[in-house]
Amino acid sequence: MYPESTAAAFETAARLGYDGVEVMVWTDPVSQDPAALRRLSDRHGIPVLAVHAPCLLITQRVWSTDPWRKLELSRAAAERLGASTVVVHPPFRWQRGYARDFVRGLRRMGEETDIRFAVENMYPWRYRRRAMQAYAPGWDPTEEDYRHFTLDVSHTATSHSDPLAMADRMGDRLAHLHIGDGTASGKDEHLVPGRGTQPCAELLRRVAAGGYDGHVVLEINTRRCMSSAEREADLAEALAFTRRHLAAPATGPDVLRRPA
């Protein structure tokens, strides 16, 4: 819903018939306040399904400058709101101490709660055709021993990865899904699904057929919309696309392969 507020997101989600929301904790004070989020959830009848930890450059000072403290507060917010998942990005390379202990530390935290800490796939940063590895241990979480993953389809486009193959590598540790499209332009586009080149429909049909028990969250970029009506139209189109393909599960070889 950016640049609109967290409160506007709850209202819009209810009006369009969404089942729930994922709260991105960012600079909007309401997004940082579990009590305020609970009031919005109750008022609109829209549950909070996931909490996205504040791990962007713009949120470096939100909920402390200590990245472990941010995760502790994200877990507490998820528990208070009844969410099942905390979405977290891999550390930036310059967060050396945090990055060094991230895999072991996140596993320890996951053993202390029923909340899933689902590490999201990211992408190399690119400048003038040069790629920079901004994340540590790396942008592809399937290379590490995490208990749970978030698969973001816009990010697979940005990293020039195959989201179907990545979903297969994640297997039964795929706990959370961010649906959005992209064109492999090198930019993180978060297009309405169906407007890019990613196999969004195929992925949705696969997870529907493969016993997936996590949430499917639409994460699309509406900041360039010229009006609230245009923004809502994009959100409605994205919702209809996602529900249509989740309701038409694949069969045979298209089913998401899960390791034994």
Side-chain angles (χ1 to χ4, degrees), residues 26 38 116 170 208 231 236:
W26 65 298
R38 169 57 70 187
R116 296 172 171 182
M170 291 178 172
R231 180 172 291 110

Side-chain angles (χ1 to χ4, degrees), residues 160-233:
H160 301 165
S161 304
D162 179 348
L164 301 177
M166 185 172 285
D168 284 338
R169 293 197 302 275
M170 291 178 172
D172 59 7
R173 290 184 289 168
L174 173 58
H176 201 65
L177 180 57
H178 283 170
I179 284 291
D181 217 331
T183 62
S185 67
K187 299 178 180 179
D188 186 18
E189 296 170 293
H190 288 283
L191 304 176
V192 171
R195 295 185 185 177
T197 60
Q198 298 301 288
C200 296
E202 293 88 340
L203 179 60
L204 290 166
R205 291 196 294 266
R206 278 195 183 198
V207 298
Y212 174 70
D213 65 353
H215 297 299
V216 177
V217 173
L218 278 156
E219 193 176 68
I220 64 171
N221 185 349
T222 64
R223 73 182 65 187
R224 293 186 178 179
C225 293
M226 300 302 293
S227 66
S228 294
E230 183 180 348
R231 180 172 291 110
E232 289 194 18

Side-chain angles (χ1 to χ4, degrees), residues 137-178:
W139 60 263
D140 183 350
T142 65
E143 296 177 352
E144 303 296 334
D145 186 27
Y146 299 118
R147 295 181 68 186
H148 301 292
F149 298 113
T150 295
L151 174 58
D152 186 300
V153 183
S154 176
H155 293 176
T156 60
T158 309
S159 64
H160 301 165
S161 304
D162 179 348
L164 301 177
M166 185 172 285
D168 284 338
R169 293 197 302 275
M170 291 178 172
D172 59 7
R173 290 184 289 168
L174 173 58
H176 201 65
L177 180 57
H178 283 170

